[in-house]
Amino acid sequence: MALTQQLARVSLQYLAQCRETAADSQANAPGWSPPAEDTLDLDWAIWGLIKVFRWAHIDAAHTNALERSITGGTGGDIGFLDHPEVYDGFGAPPALLPPELVTEIAHALDAIDVSKAIAQLPEDSAEAARACGFEGFDGNLPAYLGQHFDALRDFYHSASRRRLAVVTWVD
């Protein structure tokens, strides 16, 4: 079973609705079903980028921004999302980044020159894959990392413009 990093852009009203649905359900099911266009599957890319940032000694603030974008924050009680309807129970339950923190992260992601980090990867593709923790990766690693970073940054910008929260989890 492959585990991947998941994100969803949601309104605080939607979260309140899910909280009420869970409270009214015998199985505590929150009715979690954000629109597909408001979800993002980052695969393993951001985990690899975080490793690359550490390996290449990229500015710690940039590494922290990447980590924060996928680990959530202290944005409120979303324990009702700790349910099989939302995620498979592997690792920490879903975490929330409230709209104001989403905007902060969107700005922090703008300051990151991901190509600078990617350029520091070893030229040998097997060594580069090992630096990311992707033993046996078969593909264009710089493109894979860059595309997923761009998707993350765009995702956060859209959430910020729309004043949405972001829920993160691994599934």
Side-chain angles (χ1 to χ4, degrees):
M1 166 177 65
L3 297 171
T4 61
Q5 181 66 55
Q6 304 291 315
L7 304 172
R9 294 182 288 232
V10 296
S11 68
L12 296 178
Q13 294 82 2
Y14 179 74
L15 287 172
Q17 175 188 339
C18 288
R19 184 180 289 109
E20 287 177 28
T21 300
D24 292 342
S25 164
Q26 273 192 311
N28 297 324
W32 176 255
S33 185
E37 63 271 11
D38 283 323
T39 62
L40 179 62
D41 182 340
L42 289 170
D43 203 24
W44 313 310
I46 300 305
W47 302 333
L49 271 175
I50 290 168
K51 286 183 180 190
V52 168
F53 275 45
R54 288 186 181 133
W55 174 80
H57 303 289
I58 300 297
D59 184 344
H62 295 169
T63 305
N64 292 340
L66 274 180
E67 287 179 327
R68 193 77 186 272
S69 75
I70 63 169
T71 57
T74 57
D77 176 24
I78 61 167
F80 60 92
L81 292 179
D82 187 359
H83 190 275
E85 184 179 274
V86 180
Y87 85 118
D88 66 8
F90 183 84
L96 177 68
L97 292 152
E100 51 281 353
L101 193 50
V102 166
T103 297
E104 192 178 301
I105 289 172
H107 292 305
L109 293 174
D110 276 342
I112 296 174
D113 181 357
V114 74
S115 61
K116 180 180 175 184
I118 291 171
Q120 298 205 26
L121 283 169
E123 287 187 33
D124 178 75
S125 59
E127 283 183 49
R130 271 192 297 282
C132 294
F134 298 163
E135 306 281 336
F137 182 86
D138 184 27
N140 183 334
L141 186 58
Y144 172 79
L145 295 172
Q147 289 167 354
H148 282 83
F149 176 80
D150 290 346
L152 175 70
R153 187 184 55 228
D154 293 347
F155 186 86
Y156 267 90
H157 273 285
S158 176
S160 176
R161 276 191 311 277
R162 295 165 55 200
R163 299 289 303 143
L164 297 176
V166 170
V167 175
T168 69
W169 71 101
V170 174
D171 205 16

